[in-house]
Amino acid sequence: MPSHKNGATLNGVPLGEGRGRLDSLFLRATLLAFLFAALFYDSAHLLARTWAGRDDYSHGFIVPFISLYLAWADRERLKSIEARPSLTTGLFSLMIGCAMLIAGNAGGISILEQSAPVVIIPATVLMLLGARFVWALALPLFYLIFMVPVFDYFILRAHWPAQMLTATVAAKALGLIGVPVFQNMQFLELPNISLEVARECSGVNYLLSIVAVGIPLAWITQAGLKRRALLISFAVLVGIIANSLRVTLIGVWGYLGGVVVHGPMHVFQGFFVSMAGFAFLFAAAWVMGIKKGPREKKAEELVPFNWASFNGKKFRSAWMVLVLMFIATIGFTRIHGIGEAGLDPQAFNPLSEGVRGWSARQFVNSFRANGADLESSIIFRNGSGRELMFYLGYFASQRQDKEMVNYSLNFLYDNSEEAEIVGPNGQRFKVNRAIVKEGGRRFLFLYWYDINGRIVADRRLSKLYTVVDGIFRGRTNGAIVVLSGDVTEDGALKEVYASETELASGLMPVLKDILGASKAMPGK
């Protein structure tokens, strides 16, 4: 065994050998960082766009840095853990993460591509270092989930209760200070102004940021699970109260004659909730007391780094498999091209001729599918004078900001239920039915997706078909078809629904011919 001439050692290992292992580990870390950068380049770009464009995920910019700090703060304990690579379980987890990345990239499904790092990073730790390291790094690894928009399902369902709670508390508060107010559901009627606690005003969007900041703050400043949970719960409660206070102040401001609804200099905008939540969060941490950090260890007490566990045969095997998996995934996402399935705008002409008992005329529809390459908006009218609005949005390909299924259509998804229509040849199709309120009126929507001839109601199934077509056919084209009718008048719902199903049945063969004319073009 080579050794330094004066017998010097590094953590119990002869100095020359320790330096060699350090150099080897540094090279591996450098290569890993390079592969991570190449692997997550697109994911990071998508995440950054989400953080910059959505108030409820603006905290995403600091999440990776907080995660790194939480891991660094626990470095002394990590140094005492022996690396025991878990090749089988780690590889399985890694394959799931890479499959998510490939599927998201090929199918233009941004949520899969954005979520992939949250799976791949823990899988990498498990594969190279073992389950004990994953457990020790549970908090920083789990915390990464806060940078990905995966909480939309829960946020959407929390909006309505939060709207009602905010309106109720604000109405009570306004009454207590002598401002006359009448509450009608989420509406607050004052003598000179009418306020609506809309979905955007529910305050739910900002609670996620408060929790995302509260978790690391509680972990760093408080000792014990109960104290940490108490601090986070307190921050959420303050956020809810702050939103009710915000609406109350808007009511007072409007009652006193304020022209700008959100107050002078717009101080009563939604960020009021997060700023109040953060202020009380840090104040509560200070009041509850900052836990004392561990005493500084003397040099002789520091745990030596276990170089041997990073140089064994099992570690080298796991490393090689990991590198090969990363290279294969990077290669597929970079080489595999998605072509655009072009469609001649003239293909929409048969729609303007009407459909079996329905005349047609063009109009400008307020309903739009963001990113659609071609659109057709028509008003169909039957012999009895019933008018229905029709919209078709065709996507030659799908990618970020060009997806048929995206959050801008949440107003449909929230109120949808499946329905069934019968085509002219007796074939049955599943579609979606939803009632949407807009400007004091109610509209019945009937809509479905066409994925290369497949009529799909379920938006998740449409994404699955898009992924399959993207991977195996190199195309992600599709269309969303929407019918809507006014059902504001009493008794109109049944008649409009019957008319929409009749029109949808007549449209099916026409749309099949139109959308079947799409021609795939080479991937870019």
Side-chain angles (χ1 to χ4, degrees):
M1 178 181 293
S3 61
H4 194 269
K5 62 181 181 180
N6 60 4
T9 62
L10 176 64
N11 292 333
V13 179
L15 189 58
E17 185 177 348
R19 282 177 176 169
R21 292 178 179 178
L22 181 61
D23 291 342
S24 176
L25 188 61
F26 176 77
L27 290 175
R28 286 174 177 155
T30 302
L31 178 59
L32 187 63
F34 174 78
L35 291 176
F36 264 108
L39 191 68
F40 297 141
Y41 177 81
D42 291 333
S43 299
H45 179 68
L46 296 179
L47 285 169
R49 289 179 64 113
T50 299
W51 302 337
R54 294 182 56 177
D55 292 337
D56 48 344
Y57 280 94
S58 58
H59 59 270
F61 285 103
I62 65 173
V63 167
F65 299 101
I66 292 177
S67 179
L68 287 172
Y69 173 77
L70 291 173
W72 175 257
D74 211 17
R75 61 190 179 280
E76 289 301 327
R77 184 164 68 97
L78 294 175
K79 285 167 61 176
S80 66
I81 301 176
E82 181 182 357
R84 295 179 180 177
S86 180
L87 186 57
T88 304
T89 309
L91 180 59
F92 178 75
S93 303
L94 186 66
M95 289 173 64
I96 293 176
C98 291
M100 291 172 60
L101 192 67
I102 290 172
N105 182 274
I109 303 177
S110 58
I111 188 61
L112 277 180
E113 202 166 353
Q114 293 176 83
S115 302
V118 180
V119 177
I120 292 176
I121 293 174
T124 300
V125 175
L126 178 62
M127 193 169 178
L128 289 179
L129 306 178
R132 293 181 65 192
F133 265 94
V134 173
W135 180 252
L137 292 169
L139 178 61
L141 291 175
F142 167 78
Y143 186 70
L144 292 173
I145 197 72
F146 283 98
M147 68 180 182
V148 184
V150 295
F151 297 99
D152 288 352
Y153 176 86
F154 305 101
I155 290 175
L156 288 174
R157 277 146 188 81
H159 275 301
W160 176 246
Q163 287 173 256
M164 290 301 298
L165 177 62
T166 298
T168 301
V169 173
K172 298 284 187 185
L174 287 169
L176 287 174
I177 61 178
V179 176
V181 59
F182 173 74
Q183 180 187 358
N184 178 22
M185 302 294 283
Q186 77 271 32
F187 295 93
L188 299 178
E189 303 292 343
L190 281 70
N192 59 335
I193 189 173
S194 178
L195 301 176
E196 179 188 3
V197 182
R199 173 181 296 184
E200 295 77 10
C201 301
S202 68
V204 172
N205 290 346
Y206 297 92
L207 291 181
L208 184 61
S209 295
I210 294 173
V211 173
V213 174
I215 287 177
L217 181 66
W219 192 266
I220 293 169
T221 63
Q222 303 301 312
L225 184 60
K226 290 183 178 179
R227 291 176 64 86
R228 291 165 177 166
L230 179 63
L231 179 59
I232 297 170
S233 301
F234 180 75
V236 172
L237 178 62
V238 167
I240 295 173
I241 295 174
N243 194 51
S244 299
L245 175 61
R246 180 178 71 88
V247 175
T248 302
L249 293 174
I250 290 175
V252 173
W253 175 257
Y255 178 68
L256 295 177
V259 178
V260 181
V261 175
H262 290 106
M265 300 178 67
H266 296 271
V267 295
F268 302 143
Q269 288 279 15
F271 70 87
F272 178 93
V273 177
S274 56
M275 291 300 101
F278 293 147
F280 278 96
L281 180 65
F282 285 96
W286 180 77
V287 171
M288 292 173 66
I290 308 298
K291 72 174 184 179
K292 293 183 178 180
R295 68 178 179 85
E296 292 293 330
K297 294 185 178 182
K298 299 178 181 178
E300 60 270 16
E301 294 178 318
L302 294 176
V303 178
F305 198 85
N306 193 345
W307 295 103
S309 61
F310 289 88
N311 201 40
K313 182 178 179 181
K314 195 171 184 180
F315 178 84
R316 292 196 300 270
S317 299
W319 172 264
M320 288 302 300
V321 172
L322 177 73
V323 169
L324 291 175
M325 279 289 295
F326 279 5
I327 292 175
T329 304
I330 294 168
F332 182 89
T333 56
R334 292 291 178 268
I335 297 173
H336 182 73
I338 300 297
E340 292 195 353
L343 189 64
D344 188 346
Q346 301 301 318
F348 288 161
N349 287 345
L351 290 172
S352 61
E353 300 171 3
V355 178
R356 200 179 62 185
W358 293 81
S359 61
R361 76 173 192 271
Q362 300 287 335
F363 88 115
V364 179
N365 199 333
S366 60
F367 182 94
R368 302 290 299 275
N370 291 341
D373 295 292
L374 290 175
E375 296 176 295
S376 177
S377 296
I378 296 175
I379 289 182
F380 285 99
R381 183 186 178 94
N382 64 8
S384 62
R386 172 73 62 190
E387 290 189 342
L388 297 177
M389 291 171 283
F390 165 87
Y391 172 84
L392 185 150
Y394 178 76
F395 292 74
S397 66
Q398 297 183 65
R399 56 181 183 272
Q400 172 71 357
D401 295 333
K402 258 177 95 321
E403 299 173 87
M404 285 194 303
V405 180
N406 63 75
Y407 71 92
S408 68
L409 299 180
N410 283 337
F411 73 95
L412 277 182
Y413 308 150
D414 292 349
N415 305 288
S416 292
E417 61 179 2
E418 278 197 355
E420 191 175 68
I421 61 175
V422 181
N425 59 356
Q427 187 177 1
R428 296 181 179 274
F429 300 96
K430 291 287 182 68
V431 298
N432 296 295
R433 177 175 58 187
I435 295 178
V436 177
K437 296 180 180 179
E438 182 180 334
R441 307 188 69 82
R442 296 194 311 158
F443 296 88
L444 176 64
F445 281 79
L446 216 64
Y447 69 98
W448 64 91
Y449 305 97
D450 187 301
I451 312 294
N452 286 322
R454 311 180 191 95
I455 306 301
V456 183
D458 190 291
R459 62 183 187 272
R460 298 172 185 84
L461 185 59
S462 75
K463 282 183 172 288
L464 178 60
Y465 283 137
T466 300
V467 169
V468 171
D469 286 348
I471 293 176
F472 296 103
R473 301 179 63 186
R475 56 192 290 179
T476 57
N477 60 301
I480 179 172
V481 183
V482 182
L483 294 174
S484 63
D486 193 329
V487 294
T488 305
E489 297 180 3
D490 294 337
L493 180 60
K494 186 175 181 180
E495 294 180 8
V496 171
Y497 179 62
S499 298
E500 288 184 353
T501 54
E502 176 193 333
L503 178 58
S505 177
L507 283 169
M508 287 294 182
V510 179
L511 294 177
K512 182 178 180 181
D513 292 339
I514 291 173
L515 299 176
S518 62
K519 297 179 180 180
M521 300 172 65
K524 295 180 179 180

